[in-house]
């Protein structure tokens, strides 16, 4: 629907100039992940335009913006999941604890063990609940024996707040759980390899409000041990769970700052338009 | 939203005239655009849509019924033609094994072997046969009488005596296999009312057969040789074992070659290969190969494997290689389709957990695609089992009486055996060909059933 007053151009069509400078401080004092000048192309399409953003330790950073603005694409740059997409090129530098993850020395398998990911749609493996969580520790050889593996599985499920719901049916298939449980299983699977950063790509978009609330609580708890980057379409969710918020528009990072500040006093017209619900 | 009055646009959709909607005279408004509401239009079309749906379903049902009818017809025809081949006829004869026929057999074990090998079993059989019909003295009559018993009966007698040499010097009851014409006569396939010159059995022979039956010397029994012997020029002694073994060896070779190669190709093309002109070209060629007439593969086998590499002619090894080439496209195409059907979310989940691409394929994608891959493989194998044209080109069409012992022995295959028997002059081979077809069909059904069961077993939800 178009806004009532038609004398202004539609904001979602606003073209951001290529030399646009992000409003707010993209950097933080002690970055865990630091992205500088990221450009992503899908074939001829310029999907991410010169984005720089830091993720600090023990913080939840929310990425918001209208559909197709590139926030998921940016997220997938951080663990090189874009490598799996045909015709996708990434330029710029992303460092994880000072190491360039696109560098020659970086092993992508190791990177993904350090940067875990939770997807929009719960995607447990068609295996038992136990095997789902044990998969990562197994392939990376993290557990010395069956006993240690049991422990990892139990702690991961515990941290994901799922343990008491599934404790007596660990051998049941993971896909037999409810949507919310499946998503928490995926989170347990991700934290079983003890990553440093967890990327979450709209983790609650397929869930009902109760399951969403459980996940949000969980995110807040996980923040004590991990850095979390979450893409969300829900501004309320961003406001609830994150400490910092980044607003993307048509592939550009428009504004980044303390969540509180962004939602009360946005620094850019586009951000303001989006969070007040003029378009999106 | 439900009420047209509150439609924000207030547009022409159904704005002002919501009167006729609830009116009793909906039908009267049909066709006249002025009064018809959306609901009227929908209702007017309903009956037509239901009729179309009924026709559509009826057409589908009719197709199924027609298809089933043809299958029934096919099976009915084959079974009724093949039924006779599963039984055969024997005559119970009293054979006197005179000592004189086994001269010197008691001297030593070696002498016994020689005597057993040299004895004239046919003469022994004939003598017992003549004794039943003392009135047949003329050479011509004797010959006609001999013709009623299979020429293979002498071999059976030798086997029986060799198994128990103690019977030498006594008289034994022996089941002599009937000649194929006599067998057909007892199965009612020779019309005795035909003029004599239009059937292969003379009136005299028929009267002898009647006498044998009246004496209770005729016995119908299961045709064991059909499954225990190789091919033969005598229909009553011809069996499928050679063809079955040949088919088994050829399919084994074909499976061992095409399954791993096919899966590796499918996985590489689907999961690893970049999309470019080369892979497009390869894909087009694989699809083309699937459509190449199978005899071309036979020509290839003849030119390359026999003439260039000098592999043994008529062997199930070469047959298997040729069938493998023919099956490969089927397996690759089915495998790629199955891999494509695995949801990408599973792949992403594995990769995001830090699984290497190979681990992702071996631990997640391929196991999930396995039902489809196996179905493709079994269907490919079933195709290969039923294929005869390429085997003709590499010489698996020869008459081979011995059952092949290994991959390089000359062999024939089930469908080729059907072809060979169908070409024979003797009428008894017709039912043998039908029986071989039936056996072939049973194997095909078993394989397809296996494919369904495998799919059920491996199928998983995600």
């Amino acid at each position: 629907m178009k806004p009532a007053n038609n004398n202004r151009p539609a904001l979602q069509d606003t073209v951001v100039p290529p030399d646009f400078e992000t409003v707010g401080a993209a950097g933080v004092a002690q970055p865990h992940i630091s992205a500088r000048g990221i450009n992503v192309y899908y074939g001829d399409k310029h999907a991410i335009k010169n984005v720089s953003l830091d993720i600090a330790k023990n913080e939840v950073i929310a990425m918001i913006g209208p559909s197709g603005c590139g926030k998921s694409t940016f997220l997938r740059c951080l663990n090189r999941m874009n490598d799996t997409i045909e015709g996708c090129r990434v330029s710029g530098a992303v460092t994880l604890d000072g190491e360039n993850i696109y560098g020659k020395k970086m092993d992508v398998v190791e990177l993904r063990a350090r940067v875990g990911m939770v997807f929009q749609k719960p995607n447990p493996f068609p295996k038992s609940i136990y095997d789902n969580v044990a998969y990562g520790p197994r392939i990376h050889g993290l557990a010395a024996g069956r006993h240690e593996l049991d422990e990892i599985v139990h702690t991961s499920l515990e941290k994901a707040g799922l343990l008491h719901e599934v404790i007596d049916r660990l051998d049941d298939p993971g896909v037999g759980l409810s949507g919310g449980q499946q998503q928490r299983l995926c989170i347990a699977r991700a934290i079983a390899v003890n990553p440093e950063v967890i990327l979450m790509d709209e983790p609650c978009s397929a869930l009902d409000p109760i399951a969403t609330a459980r996940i949000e609580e969980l995110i807040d708890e996980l923040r004590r041990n991990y850095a979390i980057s979450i893409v969300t379409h829900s501004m309320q969710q961003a406001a609830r769970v994150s400490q910092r918020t980044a607003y993307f528009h048509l592939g550009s990072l428009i504004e980044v700052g303390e969540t509180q500040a962004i939602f009360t006093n946005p620094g850019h017209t586009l951000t303001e338009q989006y969070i007040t619900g003029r378009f999106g | 939203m439900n009420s047209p009055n509150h439609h924000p646009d207030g547009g022409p959709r159904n704005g002002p005239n919501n009167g006729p909607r609830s009116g009793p005279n909906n039908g009267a408004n049909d066709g006249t655009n002025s009064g018809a509401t959306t609901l009227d239009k929908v209702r007017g079309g309903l009956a037509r849509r239901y009729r179309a749906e009924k026709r559509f379903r009826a057409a589908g049902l009719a197709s199924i019924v027609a298809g089933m009818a043809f299958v029934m017809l096919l099976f009915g025809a084959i079974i009724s033609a093949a039924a006779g081949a599963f039984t055969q006829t024997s005559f119970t004869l009293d054979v006197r094994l005179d000592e004189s026929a086994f001269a010197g057999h008691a001297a030593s074990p070696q002498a016994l072997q020689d005597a057993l090998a040299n004895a004239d079993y046919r003469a022994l059989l004939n003598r017992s046969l003549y004794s039943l019909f003392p009135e047949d003295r003329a050479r011509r009559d004797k010959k006609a009488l001999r013709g009623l018993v299979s020429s293979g009966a002498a071999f059976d007698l030798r086997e029986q005596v060799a198994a128990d040499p103690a019977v030498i010097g006594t008289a034994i009851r022996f089941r002599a296999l009937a000649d194929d014409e006599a067998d057909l006569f007892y199965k009612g396939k020779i019309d005795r009312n035909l003029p004599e010159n239009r059937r292969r059995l003379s009136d005299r022979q028929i009267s002898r057969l009647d006498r044998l039956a009246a004496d209770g010397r005729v016995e119908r029994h299961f045709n064991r040789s059909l499954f225990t012997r190789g091919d033969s020029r005598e229909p009553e002694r011809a069996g499928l074992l050679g063809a079955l073994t040949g088919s088994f060896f050829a399919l084994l070779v074909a499976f061992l070659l095409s399954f791993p190669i096919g899966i590796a190709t499918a996985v590489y093309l689907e999961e690893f290969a970049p999309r470019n002109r080369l892979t497009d070209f390869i894909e087009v060629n694989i699809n083309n190969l699937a459509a190449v007439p199978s005899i071309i593969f036979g020509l290839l086998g003849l030119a390359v494997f026999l003439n260039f590499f000098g592999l043994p002619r008529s062997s199930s090894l070469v047959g298997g290689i040729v069938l493998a080439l023919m099956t490969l496209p089927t397996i690759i195409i089915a495998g790629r389709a199955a891999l494509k059907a695995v949801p990408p979310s599973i792949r992403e989940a594995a990769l995001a957990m830090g699984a290497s691409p190979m681990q992702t394929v071996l631990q997640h994608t391929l196991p999930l695609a396995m039902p489809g891959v196996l179905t493709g493989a079994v269907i490919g194998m079933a195709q290969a089992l039923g294929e005869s044209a390429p085997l003709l080109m590499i010489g698996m069409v020869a008459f081979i009486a011995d059952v092949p012992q290994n991959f390089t022995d000359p062999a024939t295959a089930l469908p080729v055996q059907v072809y060979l028997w169908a070409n024979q002059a003797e009428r008894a081979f017709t039912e043998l060909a039908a029986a071989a077809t039936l056996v072939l069909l049973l194997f095909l059904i078993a394989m397809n059933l296996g494919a369904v069961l495998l799919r059920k077993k491996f199928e998983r939800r995600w």
Side-chain angles (χ1 to χ4, degrees):
Chain A
M1 262 183 220
K2 290 196 169 175
N5 45 350
N6 279 340
N7 48 359
R8 283 206 311 199
L11 273 157
Q12 60 264 51
D13 299 329
T14 309
V15 177
V16 182
D19 55 346
F20 175 82
E21 293 255 349
T22 304
V23 178
V28 294
Q30 280 184 314
H32 203 59
I33 287 188
S34 173
R36 289 289 173 271
I38 298 293
N39 284 284
V40 179
Y41 303 85
Y42 291 124
D44 295 332
K45 188 172 177 271
H46 197 173
I48 298 279
K49 296 163 188 162
N50 195 26
V51 168
S52 298
L53 185 64
D54 280 1
I55 298 171
K57 288 195 167 100
N58 299 344
E59 80 160 1
V60 178
I61 180 164
M63 298 178 188
I64 58 171
S67 295
C69 68
K71 50 197 191 303
S72 289
T73 301
F74 178 73
L75 195 73
R76 293 166 65 98
C77 289
L78 304 181
N79 67 345
R80 287 182 58 177
M81 280 302 279
N82 282 334
D83 291 11
T84 62
I85 295 171
E86 194 96 13
C88 177
R89 281 181 298 124
V90 180
S91 70
V94 181
T95 55
L96 174 65
D97 289 334
E99 243 181 297
N100 183 6
I101 71 166
Y102 284 92
K104 280 211 170 77
K105 275 191 203 157
M106 176 55 73
D107 189 300
V108 69
V109 167
E110 184 201 314
L111 169 71
R112 287 178 191 152
R114 290 169 68 186
V115 183
M117 189 159 191
V118 176
F119 294 87
Q120 178 173 8
K121 193 172 153 256
N123 55 357
F125 299 128
K127 298 171 186 277
S128 72
I129 295 170
Y130 184 95
D131 287 340
N132 259 287
V133 183
Y135 183 71
R138 273 189 186 136
I139 58 169
H140 297 299
L142 300 184
R146 176 80 197 185
H147 183 70
E148 216 170 307
L149 191 61
D150 282 350
E151 205 170 295
I152 293 178
V153 170
H154 277 96
T155 15
S156 307
L157 285 170
E158 175 78 66
K159 280 191 202 160
L162 191 61
L163 186 63
H164 66 280
E165 291 168 48
V166 298
I167 184 73
D168 49 353
R169 47 175 177 145
L170 287 177
D171 291 328
D172 286 8
V175 286
L177 298 172
S178 75
Q181 287 174 324
Q182 284 189 23
Q183 194 60 297
R184 277 181 284 150
L185 178 62
C186 292
I187 293 174
R189 181 176 67 187
I191 59 186
V193 293
N194 206 15
E196 297 160 28
V197 183
I198 302 176
L199 310 175
M200 297 188 173
D201 190 356
E202 299 180 42
C204 302
S205 68
L207 304 183
D208 67 41
I210 297 169
T212 302
R214 293 279 298 118
I215 304 266
E216 285 178 6
E217 271 171 47
L218 180 60
I219 290 171
D220 207 46
E221 277 166 41
L222 292 174
R223 179 164 71 91
R224 274 182 272 160
N225 300 311
Y226 310 100
I228 295 171
S229 174
I230 179 171
V231 165
T232 177
H233 269 298
S234 154
M235 279 171 286
Q236 290 84 347
Q237 184 170 60
R240 280 193 300 261
V241 301
S242 70
Q243 284 73 55
R244 286 201 305 149
T245 297
Y247 172 68
F248 285 78
H249 183 95
L250 289 179
S252 299
L253 177 58
I254 302 299
E255 183 168 356
V256 59
E258 299 291 324
T259 301
Q260 195 75 28
I262 291 251
F263 280 99
T264 50
N265 187 20
H268 193 280
T269 357
L270 282 169
T271 320
E272 189 197 333
Q273 298 283 344
Y274 182 71
I275 61 174
T276 52
R278 297 283 173 79
F279 68 91
Chain B
M1 285 294 268
N2 288 335
S3 161
N5 286 336
H6 297 301
H7 197 270
D9 295 339
R13 203 149 61 117
N14 47 13
N17 54 343
N18 55 351
R21 167 170 288 198
S22 53
N25 56 346
N26 278 348
N29 282 338
D30 263 4
T32 57
N33 216 6
S34 58
T37 63
T38 310
L39 197 59
D40 287 327
K41 286 180 188 164
V42 170
R43 279 186 184 152
L46 272 184
R48 190 170 41 79
R49 275 154 61 182
Y50 284 137
R51 277 198 304 277
E53 172 138 355
K54 254 189 196 146
R55 280 197 301 275
F56 185 70
R57 288 190 188 196
L61 209 59
S63 314
I64 292 174
V65 169
M68 291 300 287
F70 279 121
V71 170
M72 297 298 236
L73 194 67
L74 175 78
F75 269 82
I78 293 172
I79 290 174
S80 69
F86 291 100
T87 60
Q88 56 184 182
T89 312
S90 288
F91 302 120
T92 313
L93 299 179
D94 301 302
V95 182
R96 279 211 338 273
L97 303 166
D98 295 332
E99 299 258 359
S100 55
F102 301 89
H105 70 92
S108 68
Q110 185 56 45
L112 175 66
Q113 292 304 320
D114 290 345
L116 284 173
N118 295 329
D120 190 350
Y121 298 95
R122 185 156 304 191
L124 293 172
L125 267 179
N126 290 344
R127 210 176 305 155
S128 96
L129 195 61
Y130 300 153
S131 69
L132 291 175
F133 302 99
E135 66 275 28
D136 288 343
R137 295 261 174 78
R139 273 179 65 117
R140 204 161 52 91
D141 295 343
K142 282 186 171 177
K143 190 178 173 208
L145 206 50
R146 286 201 303 272
L148 297 179
V149 175
S150 165
S151 53
F155 299 110
D156 294 339
L157 182 60
R158 183 172 70 186
E159 273 171 33
Q160 195 173 329
V161 175
D164 180 19
V167 296
I168 295 175
T170 66
I172 58 167
R173 286 184 86 79
F174 174 67
R175 269 187 1 182
L177 202 55
D179 186 66
D180 53 313
E181 292 295 331
D183 183 51
L184 285 178
F185 173 76
Y186 286 123
K187 285 173 184 163
K189 299 207 172 157
I190 290 181
D191 185 2
R192 65 170 76 217
N193 298 324
L194 277 177
E196 191 174 8
N197 60 359
R198 291 188 55 194
R199 48 180 148 84
R200 307 258 315 249
L201 291 173
S202 64
D203 287 341
R204 197 180 182 90
Q205 282 176 312
I206 286 180
S207 75
R208 298 296 174 262
L209 289 176
D210 285 338
R211 280 245 313 265
L212 282 166
D215 291 352
R217 291 187 180 274
V218 174
E219 191 190 347
R220 276 280 279 282
H221 54 87
F222 179 67
N223 183 1
R224 263 185 46 213
S225 55
L226 185 61
F227 299 101
T228 55
R229 286 185 203 279
D231 199 4
S232 167
R233 290 294 185 210
E234 304 293 332
E236 68 274 12
R237 285 176 66 83
L240 278 173
L241 189 62
L244 281 172
T245 319
S247 271
F248 173 76
F249 280 141
L251 277 195
L252 193 66
V253 171
F255 181 78
L256 290 179
L257 283 177
S258 63
F259 192 63
I261 296 178
I263 289 191
T265 310
V267 166
Y268 187 80
L269 284 177
E270 201 57 43
E271 302 286 328
F272 296 104
R275 295 268 177 280
N276 56 28
R277 272 166 189 227
L278 182 65
T279 46
D280 283 349
F281 178 73
I282 291 173
E283 182 167 353
V284 167
N285 274 291
I286 290 172
N287 290 335
N288 279 344
L289 272 186
V292 165
S294 56
I295 197 157
I296 306 292
F297 288 99
L299 283 171
L300 174 98
L302 176 63
V304 177
F305 300 124
L306 296 186
N307 291 345
F308 187 73
F309 288 112
L311 291 174
R313 191 170 294 272
S314 300
S315 66
S316 36
L317 175 69
V318 178
I321 297 175
V322 168
L323 292 178
L325 290 178
M326 210 195 75
T327 323
L328 261 178
T330 311
I331 295 186
I332 294 172
I333 291 169
R336 291 189 66 178
L339 286 168
K340 218 174 256 171
V342 174
S345 65
I346 298 289
R347 245 171 242 128
E348 283 197 322
L351 288 173
M353 284 307 298
S356 67
M358 190 187 87
Q359 284 173 323
T360 306
V361 166
L362 293 186
Q363 295 169 355
H364 299 284
T365 325
L366 198 53
L368 289 175
M370 223 39 186
V373 173
L374 284 177
T375 312
V378 175
I379 288 173
M381 285 297 119
Q383 260 177 21
L385 174 64
E387 197 57 69
S388 57
L391 302 182
L392 303 184
M393 299 307 299
I394 55 155
M396 282 182 86
V397 69
F399 169 77
I400 291 150
D402 292 328
V403 175
Q405 299 301 314
N406 56 45
F407 292 104
T408 49
D409 277 354
T412 168
L414 265 180
V416 181
Q417 190 70 71
V418 173
Y419 168 78
L420 282 171
W421 282 349
N423 274 342
Q424 294 280 359
E426 284 94 338
R427 278 181 57 194
F429 274 117
T430 319
E431 46 175 40
L432 279 177
T437 312
L438 193 62
V439 170
L440 180 61
L441 280 175
L442 289 180
F443 271 100
L444 290 177
I445 291 171
M447 286 175 85
N448 286 324
L449 197 68
V452 173
L453 292 179
L454 275 175
R455 182 152 55 180
K456 278 255 153 56
K457 184 168 153 46
F458 284 98
E459 209 157 51
R460 273 184 280 191
R461 241 155 32 92
W462 53 69

